[in-house]
Amino acid sequence: MKRILGGAALGFLVFGGGARAEDVSEAQILKALSPPGAPRTRSLSIGAPAPAPAPAFSADDSFVDALRNKPSRSLSVGEREKLGAVAASKPQIDLPMEFDYNSVVLRGPALSNANNLGKALSSEAMRGQTFMIAGHTDAKGTDAANQKLSERRADAVKLFLVQTYRIPASNLITVGYGKSHLKNPTDPAGRENRRVQAVNMLQVKTAGR
């Protein structure tokens, strides 16, 4: 297996004769992103129940709503941090993503995980809801380079979801955190830090909002 070198490249693990460690199934994504108490249904089942109604609109919801259709690079540091704080208590999942060095091209396991994410987000149970797509890198490289790369990769995943699965662009809010939110700060260069995070912001996009 070729090892990809350089700051913030997203790698992957392969266990001999078994499944890749980074594989995340559609069912796992659906389970992780479902609101607490939501019925456990398969995304392809016929007659699946409609998603639960959205909770009352709050100040945090208004903030999230204002970020629709804003490119990740346009978010201020304050907006990024507030978005992260709002998302902290929401249903979420980390998806390992493999990119070549300084690349935003989805391929291999990254493409597989992006496809499973698309299937989950376009399912009846998730349709119309609002999701944050956040890019994260490891601590290699400079702050500025990792920040820009994490934004580009989050935007690349969003573009894929919009073009391939017809998910409305306004339902996907992208943000990059570079190396500022390490999943494993005790190992700043660890693979687990190199990921794309999907968060269900528990909003339903409706006409007139």
Side-chain angles (χ1 to χ4, degrees), residues 63 67 70 72-85 147 151 175-177 180-181:
F63 167 73
L67 300 183
K70 289 188 69 173
S72 57
R73 65 182 178 277
S74 71
L75 270 60
S76 68
V77 173
E79 286 174 327
R80 292 199 302 264
E81 292 309 307
K82 182 173 180 179
L83 184 60
Q147 179 61 39
E151 292 168 352
V175 60
Y177 288 107
S180 64
H181 289 183

Side-chain angles (χ1 to χ4, degrees), residues 5 10 38 42 53 55-56 69 74 89 92 103 120 124 134 139 149 161 163 167 171 184 203:
L5 300 177
L10 301 193
R42 289 182 297 178
N69 298 314
S74 71
S89 62
Q92 57 191 268
S103 171
E124 186 65 29
L149 188 58
L161 295 173
Q163 292 184 341
I167 298 171
N171 288 3
N184 183 6
Q203 289 189 317

